[in-house]
Amino acid sequence: MEFRKLGKTGFNISEVSLGTWQLGGKWGAPFDEKDALDTLEAAYDHGVNFFDTADGYQDGMSEKVVGQFIKRHPDVHYSTKVGRKEMPLTMDHFSPKAIRRYVEESLQNMQVDSLDQVLLHCPPMAIYYQPETFKTLDDLKKEGKIANYGVSVERVEEAIKALDYDISSVEIIFNMFRLRPAKLFFKLAQQANVGILARVPLASGLLTGKFTADTHFDPADHRMNNRDGQHFSKGETFSGVDYLTGVKAAQELKERLGTDNLADTALRYILMFDTVSAVIPGASNPTQIERNTHAAELQPLTADQMAIVTDVYDKYIKDPIEYMW
């Protein structure tokens, strides 16, 4: 495992880290605390030292389990996200009063005195023009409640606007089906010493290359019930890509890249960008950890392979995805 610096935090984090959205159970399944802790331990054993959670994941259970885990391993780092655990999402969730309440609740969930990093969890664009929200985060840093803060975003424009504030990192969707962040934002973030966490790296599983037109998802799974943005941003599910189009594009990537293990290649592709601090694939059980971390051991993609990814993106994905996010 190699390590990269996470922007202004100064943390040296594993280039393959762990997102915990589906920790302890597949999307829509009941939470299993033992599976969750075993998954975290498996990640640590494979060199992972950074964990991304949120107050709304599994109704706070993800934060609680990560909190237990970091007590066993005080050498690791983490971020948690706030602002989206109460629905429907409104501007009020990112008011100074709400941010303070959410931070206090996360401190309680994780049983710590200070949070390594807090990210605003995909706030509406208007929040970036509400400086009092970010001043509240500055004040929480001065008070010692948080060590760093940043944002998790849906759109590139939000990430760029966030650079107006003293953020330490940005969590953004970046993968073979979502290339636009690398065109301008990565350079601006590097200039500002802001870390980049690449989320949804496998496009909700499309980039494993294992899905077909007949793949079945549980009715409670967001891949079944959020394809048109019924519950949260459409861009979160399959990176906003039409499912059948994504299946076809993934199949062509497998064929042209000459791999039956597209997931590893997709993760390694993201690591080709030096400005990315870490990629944060999820795992619902320990067996998926080795798959994720193996990507760090792969040889770099060649220039021809990188060009194939761009060609498939331009052919299937760019229009309309690039213009939406």
Side-chain angles (χ1 to χ4, degrees):
M1 182 66 71
E2 298 293 330
F3 296 83
R4 303 183 183 190
K5 189 153 289 188
L6 182 61
K8 297 172 190 171
T9 69
F11 300 156
N12 284 313
I13 65 172
S14 50
E15 61 183 9
V16 178
S17 292
L18 182 66
T20 65
W21 187 2
Q22 69 260 47
L23 183 71
K26 295 181 179 179
W27 283 306
F31 183 78
D32 186 311
E33 183 173 331
K34 183 180 184 303
D35 266 359
L37 284 168
D38 287 349
T39 301
L40 293 170
E41 291 289 350
Y44 185 79
D45 290 343
H46 280 80
V48 173
N49 77 336
F50 183 79
F51 302 84
D52 177 78
T53 186
D55 57 3
Y57 290 172
Q58 301 283 7
D59 293 325
M61 288 304 301
S62 177
E63 276 190 333
K64 290 176 181 178
V65 170
V66 172
Q68 293 178 45
F69 173 78
I70 62 176
K71 283 183 171 56
R72 301 180 190 176
H73 303 287
D75 55 320
V76 304
H77 301 290
Y78 62 90
S79 63
T80 192
K81 300 184 290 294
V82 300
R84 282 183 67 175
K85 70 177 178 179
E86 298 171 330
M87 292 295 169
L89 184 67
T90 71
M91 290 275 289
D92 289 343
H93 295 169
F94 299 94
S95 68
K97 182 178 179 180
I99 294 299
R100 281 192 168 276
R101 175 166 66 86
Y102 293 146
V103 166
E104 291 293 344
E105 290 169 354
S106 291
L107 289 166
Q108 180 64 33
N109 276 347
M110 301 191 75
Q111 290 292 290
V112 295
D113 296 322
S114 178
L115 298 167
D116 271 5
Q117 180 170 248
V118 169
L119 306 179
L120 298 184
H121 200 171
C122 298
M125 185 64 180
I127 294 299
Y128 296 94
Y129 296 87
Q130 185 171 292
E132 58 267 30
T133 291
F134 294 88
K135 183 180 184 304
T136 300
L137 292 165
D138 289 328
D139 290 343
L140 287 164
K141 279 183 66 174
K142 292 173 185 175
E143 295 164 20
K145 298 288 182 70
I146 64 176
N148 304 277
Y149 71 84
V151 293
S152 181
V153 302
E154 300 287 0
R155 291 176 168 80
V156 170
E157 287 77 12
E158 295 162 353
I160 292 173
K161 179 60 180 173
L163 297 175
D164 286 349
Y165 302 99
D166 189 27
I167 60 172
S168 296
S169 62
V170 169
E171 191 175 285
I172 191 167
I173 298 175
F174 178 63
N175 58 47
M176 287 178 167
F177 288 170
R178 189 75 79 85
L179 301 188
R180 187 176 170 222
K183 294 189 174 182
L184 173 61
F185 170 65
F186 281 9
K187 178 181 179 180
L188 296 176
Q190 186 175 40
Q191 292 172 348
N193 191 24
V194 167
I196 295 171
L197 298 170
R199 69 189 188 94
V200 197
L202 298 178
S204 307
L206 271 177
L207 286 167
T208 64
K210 296 179 180 179
F211 294 170
T212 70
D214 299 320
T215 298
H216 173 75
F217 299 102
D218 187 276
D221 191 319
H222 76 100
R223 293 174 293 186
M224 176 60 74
N225 62 35
N226 192 59
R227 292 189 185 184
D228 296 315
Q230 297 96 317
H231 302 290
F232 43 82
S233 173
K234 180 180 176 181
E236 298 273 354
T237 301
F238 301 128
S239 295
V241 175
D242 170 74
Y243 179 73
L244 293 179
T245 301
V247 168
K248 188 182 300 183
Q251 184 60 39
E252 183 163 327
L253 283 169
K254 285 175 65 176
E255 293 171 358
R256 294 179 63 183
L257 293 171
T259 181
D260 286 327
N261 193 350
L262 184 59
D264 274 12
T265 306
L267 295 177
R268 188 65 184 89
Y269 172 83
I270 294 169
L271 296 177
M272 293 295 293
F273 295 81
D274 292 340
T275 45
V276 171
S277 305
V279 57
I280 51 171
S284 58
N285 60 65
T287 61
Q288 296 171 347
I289 294 296
E290 186 170 359
R291 176 203 71 187
N292 292 344
T293 55
H294 180 253
E297 303 171 13
L298 297 183
Q299 290 296 312
L301 275 66
T302 66
D304 285 346
Q305 289 174 316
M306 296 293 284
I308 287 170
V309 174
T310 301
D311 186 54
V312 172
Y313 172 81
D314 288 346
K315 179 179 177 181
Y316 292 100
I317 309 297
K318 182 175 181 178
D319 186 8
I321 296 302
E322 184 157 304
Y323 307 99
M324 298 172 70
W325 290 283

